[in-house]
Amino acid sequence: MTIEDGKPTSSHSDAGDTSRGDERDQEKGDGIALPSHVAGSGTLDRLADTARDYAKAATAENTNKAYAADWKHFGRWCRIKGLDLLPPSPEMVGLYLADLAAPVGKAPAITVSTIERRLSGLAWHYQQRGFTLDRKNRHIVTVLAGIKRKHGKPPVQKEAILRDDILAMVATLPQDLRGLRDRAILLIGYAGGLRRSEIVSLDVHKDDTPDSGGWVDITDEGALLTLNAKTGWREVEIGRGSSNQTCPVHALEKWLHFARIDFGPLFVRTSRDGKTALPARLSDKHVVRLIKQTVLDAGIRSDLPEKRRLVLFSGHSLRAGLASSAEIDERYVQKHLGHASAEMTRKYQRRRDRFRVNLTKAAGL
């Protein structure tokens, strides 16, 4: 199998102008506006646009997209039921959550985590419109608690990519320019414990591009990554490896040299023949496709059906792999991954000595 680079809906007449107008407003992303008593001007309108851009940047791009889809879905649901979006109604939201968990007809039920995400999306959009959705209201709290109790399942963790796995994966890549780039992506992502969005958002230097999520400084000792991550700015140190064949810093230098990249995005697209670097920054979806394809090509977890293997591995497999493979004090792994707590780091450790501290024996049993 080759992985290329490259919501149930119902038809119903619109119920009232309020829902339609509000959905048009959300499509504009217009949560920031001038006061009603202030006359617009070129300068003020420009500042309002700037404020909207900053407000949009307050949450990650993928979160913004998810919240926008959630609000659109909720607006469609309200129109079908003949309800208005505004003002917020906890009773109506409770009914919506129940419909998501146990839909009528052929529409599939969605997971509890997605239901919780949609509730967050609704609360966020109401807040942007000057309203407050009381998520602690009993009509929401009790319904959501019942959904969790009846439909909740333990979280499904992505498979960790361990040391031998990553070596087998990079060995499947060709020696052309695209292969050099993808090898650097896998090794830097693995050694840095990076999220897929962090990998592709890197620039060569500070302030190279407006959409930069950080930059890299390469020294004799290794590479220092300065990242604008989910929890704020942080530095990630990637030391040089014991062999050029597996060294992430050497792989990155080789990619930059042969791609002739000295400015702008660190990882860019290549031509179809894989021989020329193009200016466009890679999408984070490429990292997922790359991981899944090389997992298949390397024969990792070949004991499982192909579809199952594709589901098990994702961008988070790199972070989980580093957390599981690095046999050092846990606090160093926590700092490297940028986690606020050791408990979060432990969630990424698929392979660790869970019974190193035996409280049963410590209690005298």
Side-chain angles (χ1 to χ4, degrees):
M1 176 177 179
T2 299
I3 302 175
E4 304 215 355
D5 230 347
K7 297 164 198 163
T9 59
S10 301
S11 59
H12 193 89
S13 59
D14 290 331
D17 292 333
T18 303
S19 297
R20 289 199 303 271
D22 198 75
E23 184 170 323
R24 283 194 294 268
D25 287 344
Q26 74 89 17
E27 288 174 351
K28 297 176 184 177
D30 194 355
I32 304 294
L34 292 174
S36 57
H37 63 278
V38 175
S41 68
T43 302
L44 289 177
D45 289 341
R46 181 187 63 78
L47 288 175
D49 290 339
T50 302
R52 291 187 192 104
D53 291 339
Y54 281 128
K56 187 177 180 181
T59 50
E61 182 181 356
N62 287 340
T63 302
N64 288 329
K65 290 179 180 178
Y67 281 1
D70 295 339
W71 186 252
K72 187 174 182 180
H73 185 276
F74 181 55
R76 187 182 300 115
W77 182 87
C78 287
R79 290 198 305 275
I80 291 172
K81 305 300 182 185
L83 303 170
D84 291 332
L85 276 167
L86 301 174
S89 165
E91 296 87 348
M92 181 176 67
V93 173
L95 295 176
Y96 173 66
L97 300 181
D99 198 16
L100 293 177
V104 178
K106 297 181 179 180
I110 62 177
T111 63
V112 174
S113 60
T114 302
I115 291 175
E116 290 182 305
R117 203 279 321 284
R118 287 196 174 178
L119 178 59
S120 297
L122 299 188
W124 186 88
H125 271 283
Y126 275 126
Q127 185 180 33
Q128 302 309 301
R129 286 157 178 76
F131 296 93
T132 299
L133 175 63
D134 183 8
R135 296 176 60 173
K136 295 183 179 180
N137 184 283
R138 63 185 180 87
H139 293 92
I140 294 177
V141 170
T142 54
V143 170
L144 186 58
I147 291 172
K148 289 181 178 180
R149 186 177 181 86
K150 189 171 183 178
H151 302 291
K153 298 178 181 178
V156 178
Q157 293 184 320
K158 294 300 182 180
E159 191 87 358
I161 293 173
L162 303 177
R163 173 190 174 276
D164 291 343
D165 298 331
I166 194 71
L167 296 182
M169 290 164 64
V170 297
T172 66
L173 296 170
Q175 293 298 321
D176 61 4
L177 195 60
R178 184 178 298 164
L180 294 179
R181 178 200 65 191
D182 290 346
R183 185 174 288 102
I185 287 175
L186 290 177
L187 291 173
I188 287 290
Y190 181 81
L194 304 180
R195 301 175 179 88
R196 60 179 184 173
S197 58
E198 293 172 344
I199 296 172
V200 299
S201 68
L202 285 168
D203 279 359
V204 179
H205 308 105
K206 182 181 179 181
D207 299 329
D208 274 358
T209 64
D211 61 341
S212 171
W215 65 93
V216 58
D217 293 307
I218 300 177
T219 67
D220 292 339
E221 291 77 19
L224 177 63
L225 278 55
T226 304
L227 297 168
N228 187 8
K230 289 175 65 175
T231 55
W233 286 97
R234 83 176 199 273
E235 291 183 343
V236 174
E237 301 168 1
I238 301 179
R240 292 187 181 272
S242 56
S243 167
N244 282 344
Q245 300 300 318
T246 59
C247 175
V249 182
H250 179 76
L252 180 59
E253 289 174 323
K254 200 170 180 181
W255 153 248
L256 293 175
H257 173 73
F258 285 101
R260 299 179 181 178
I261 295 176
D262 56 11
F263 182 85
L266 194 65
F267 295 114
V268 297
R269 298 180 182 276
T270 61
S271 57
R272 287 185 177 274
D273 59 9
K275 296 180 179 180
T276 306
L278 304 176
R281 185 188 300 275
L282 273 180
S283 163
D284 64 344
K285 293 179 180 179
H286 173 77
V287 179
V288 180
R289 290 192 292 262
L290 173 62
I291 290 171
K292 292 179 182 294
Q293 184 63 64
T294 51
V295 161
L296 292 180
D297 293 344
I300 297 171
R301 293 302 310 270
S302 57
D303 57 307
L304 298 175
E306 187 174 281
K307 288 185 178 180
R308 178 63 177 158
R309 293 158 68 195
L310 290 175
V311 171
L312 277 177
F313 292 92
S314 73
H316 258 60
S317 296
L318 295 177
R319 282 169 67 79
L322 178 76
S324 302
S325 300
E327 297 180 354
I328 58 174
D329 192 299
E330 191 177 75
R331 69 177 185 269
Y332 296 113
V333 180
Q334 177 184 340
K335 178 180 180 295
H336 197 74
L337 297 181
H339 288 155
S341 68
E343 185 59 33
M344 177 58 71
T345 302
R346 293 187 190 110
K347 291 181 180 179
Y348 281 77
Q349 293 173 326
R350 309 293 191 261
R351 185 184 64 185
R352 63 184 176 91
D353 185 0
R354 296 180 181 273
F355 296 96
R356 182 173 59 84
V357 177
N358 189 328
L359 290 181
T360 305
K361 291 182 179 180
L365 300 179

